[in-house]
Amino acid sequence: MLIEEFLLLESPEKYDFKDEGANKLYSSLENNIEKYLLYKSSGCIGSKYFPEMDLFIREDKRIFGIMDTDCDTSSLVKEIYHKLWKTAIDDKENSAISGEYGETMTSFQGLLNIFVEDKIETKLQEEYRKTYFPTKSNNVTKMYILHLYYSWNDFLKTCSSFAAVDLFAKSVHQIGNFIPVPRWFNVNRAHHDSWDLTLTKIREWYFESDEAEKDKILGTLLCSKTSVISECRKWLQWCAGEDQSSHGWNKFIEVNYLQAFVNPDDMKPIMFCENHSWDSELSGDQVVQICDTCNELIEKRGLQMIKMLKGMK
């Protein structure tokens, strides 16, 4: 889809970028969780660990044509990046933003894993999982959820009865949840793939004056990957411009169209659920709350971004 066609959609802020390049069998599906799982299953073909799952996936014609790249770096999304972040991309040597690397700000998979384990899975299924889908932590995984999807008739119905979770399976890949980032930023942030927690660390960085402590903050955010920390530091410094004090935080929010994700009174990040912190363990009920909050904030940011795009020549 061309950006001109995208902007002519009735509600482009609600467009599901998983539909880019997909066939009609896929794009016509109405269940958001099903569309998400099929999108994820397309990347599991050739799994040597679960050959029976590989057979199911290969024979599912609905996944044919689903893009090989992630939604947040599709051709259409890159074109949007190059318009909304043109100044940063034109100065990519200093900003570390090339427009080629994007981030899904808050991901769905980790939340879905917790949700299924805490709210959906039966005791018998849990015993089966620990026997046939073992992990070091004994937690639910993507492959196990795909197994439930292909083998349990009521799985989708049970999951989708939680409206906020079902909707987030779609809004996770809407424009309001995408942002261009330095290379490898998204890979090394995977352990805390929730944008409220990411913003909390970025805000700490802007309010810290000691350079060594600032690097420690980025090290926590990015799993201490030195090269990634360096690129992220360039990005944050560029966003702040000449004002490298705590006021740079406000500039970062402005440059990245993130006003919907902060409280207007104190400019602190809006936390997605009660007691959400870097070290907290989530319950299924908290996942529902996070999905509900994200759905609202993603739509608000998406509307802002669409308004900006339509105002450009």
Side-chain angles (χ1 to χ4, degrees), residues 12 20 24 43 47 62 83 113 115 135 145 156 158 166 222 228 243 270 275 284:
E20 284 292 289
K24 289 184 179 180
S47 171
R62 294 170 299 176
K83 284 186 175 293
N113 293 350
F115 173 74
T135 64
I145 290 178
L156 286 178
T158 306
D166 179 76
L222 301 168
V228 185
D243 190 349
I270 294 173
N275 303 315

Side-chain angles (χ1 to χ4, degrees), residues 219-234:
T220 302
L221 175 63
L222 301 168
C223 305
S224 298
K225 300 293 184 179
T226 305
S227 59
V228 185
I229 290 172
S230 176
E231 290 297 288
C232 186
R233 188 192 308 114
K234 286 172 60 177

Side-chain angles (χ1 to χ4, degrees), residues 70-83:
D70 290 335
C71 289
D72 50 28
T73 52
S74 70
S75 297
L76 175 55
V77 172
K78 286 181 181 180
E79 190 175 357
I80 292 170
Y81 290 161
H82 278 261
K83 284 186 175 293

